[in-house]
Amino acid sequence: MPELLFPFLGVVALLTVTPGPDMLLVVRNGLSAGSRAAWLTGLGCCLGISIHATAAVLGLSAILAASATAYTVVKLAGAAYLAYLGIRMLISAIMSVDPAAEAEADIAAAAALPEATVPGPAVAESAGTARPTAAAPAPAAAPGTADGVRSAPLTSGAMFRQGLFTNLLNPKIALLFLTLLPQFVAHDEPRLRTTATLAVIFLAIAVVWWRTFSLAIGPISRVLRGGTARRALDGLAGSALLAISAAVALDGDR
């Protein structure tokens, strides 16, 4: 067991609950689609953390810290991805249809339709007997496809990938592991083994946090399932992600 485990746990707990792009994305997906969506997004973030932690243990993060070009490439890629997510959310907020309003429109349209007439019996040519035929009803149009646009729900894989890439394309997380983990390795401890142990503990805390957070956000999401609330949420989250993207792209500090 690492000698500085308890101070490390305190620091990691603060870092884990600090708001950032990961938190914003998990909150947005959780409020839009429930606790499962938040959990899947959080798991993607955890995979990103595990990759960063592994890179730090193996010393690969040192390359990112030493190379200004590599750092800039990863930073701009992360900013571009956040901007992409933000734009998609804003488009969803603008173009999606409120399901309640859409249902009312469908009811009104159905009430305005004239009563269908049933054609008379047709006479069979060969047998000379009357055989009634009924007109086949026209297929009903899927709601939200003819008069409006409804944003397609994210798949499980898409939610997971959002969490993964948002975390993975954040170079400051790589530098965090590179600079944080060695600070909690005592002088008489084996560096590689202790660093790996701390990285696993960091990941375990992240998994527990996102699971707890996803379960807590479930009841709130059920209150915000309406179309108006979802559009407002997408608009706020999209605008926030665009602002974070601009801040990441313009940030020159490492």
Side-chain angles (χ1 to χ4, degrees), residues 22 25-26 29-30 36-46 159-160 162-164:
D22 293 355
L25 195 60
V26 172
N29 287 349
R36 182 173 182 273
W39 174 230
L40 289 171
T41 310
L43 280 179
C45 296
C46 291
M159 296 174 193
F160 182 84
Q162 282 185 355
L164 170 62

Side-chain angles (χ1 to χ4, degrees), residues 1-227:
M1 189 66 65
E3 294 181 16
L4 302 175
L5 176 61
F6 291 106
F8 178 76
L9 291 176
V11 173
V12 171
L14 290 175
L15 291 174
T16 301
V17 302
T18 300
D22 293 355
M23 178 75 73
L24 176 61
L25 195 60
V26 172
V27 169
R28 182 265 175 186
N29 287 349
L31 292 180
S32 297
S35 61
R36 182 173 182 273
W39 174 230
L40 289 171
T41 310
L43 280 179
C45 296
C46 291
L47 179 57
I49 289 174
S50 66
I51 294 174
H52 281 302
T54 302
V57 171
L58 298 178
L60 298 179
S61 296
I63 300 175
L64 190 65
S67 173
T69 301
Y71 181 89
T72 301
V73 168
V74 175
K75 181 185 73 172
L76 293 180
Y81 184 69
L82 292 177
Y84 163 75
L85 292 179
I87 291 172
R88 284 196 58 181
M89 291 178 189
L90 288 178
I91 292 175
S92 174
I94 294 171
M95 301 187 66
S96 62
V97 175
D98 188 343
E102 186 179 89
E104 292 178 3
D106 290 341
I107 294 173
L113 287 177
E115 211 174 293
T117 57
V118 179
V123 179
E125 295 180 0
S126 57
T129 58
R131 183 171 299 171
T133 58
T145 57
D147 300 324
V149 178
R150 175 180 293 174
S151 57
L154 289 174
T155 64
S156 300
M159 296 174 193
F160 182 84
R161 288 192 298 271
Q162 282 185 355
L164 170 62
F165 290 128
T166 301
N167 190 283
L168 198 59
L169 294 176
N170 187 347
K172 289 194 173 183
I173 297 182
L175 299 185
L176 170 67
F177 276 101
L178 184 64
T179 57
L180 176 67
L181 297 183
Q183 304 301 320
F184 293 92
V185 178
H187 295 293
D188 56 343
E189 292 180 321
R191 181 163 297 273
L192 180 60
R193 188 180 67 187
T194 305
T195 302
T197 301
L198 294 175
V200 171
I201 293 172
F202 195 117
L203 177 60
I205 292 175
V207 171
V208 172
W209 162 249
W210 287 126
R211 186 51 180 160
T212 305
F213 188 84
S214 66
L215 292 175
I217 208 172
I220 303 175
S221 70
R222 287 192 286 272
V223 180
L224 300 176
R225 290 294 175 87

Side-chain angles (χ1 to χ4, degrees), residues 71-72 75-80 82-83 242-253:
Y71 181 89
T72 301
K75 181 185 73 172
L76 293 180
L82 292 177
L242 285 177
I244 294 174
S245 169
V248 170
L250 296 176
D251 183 15
D253 296 333

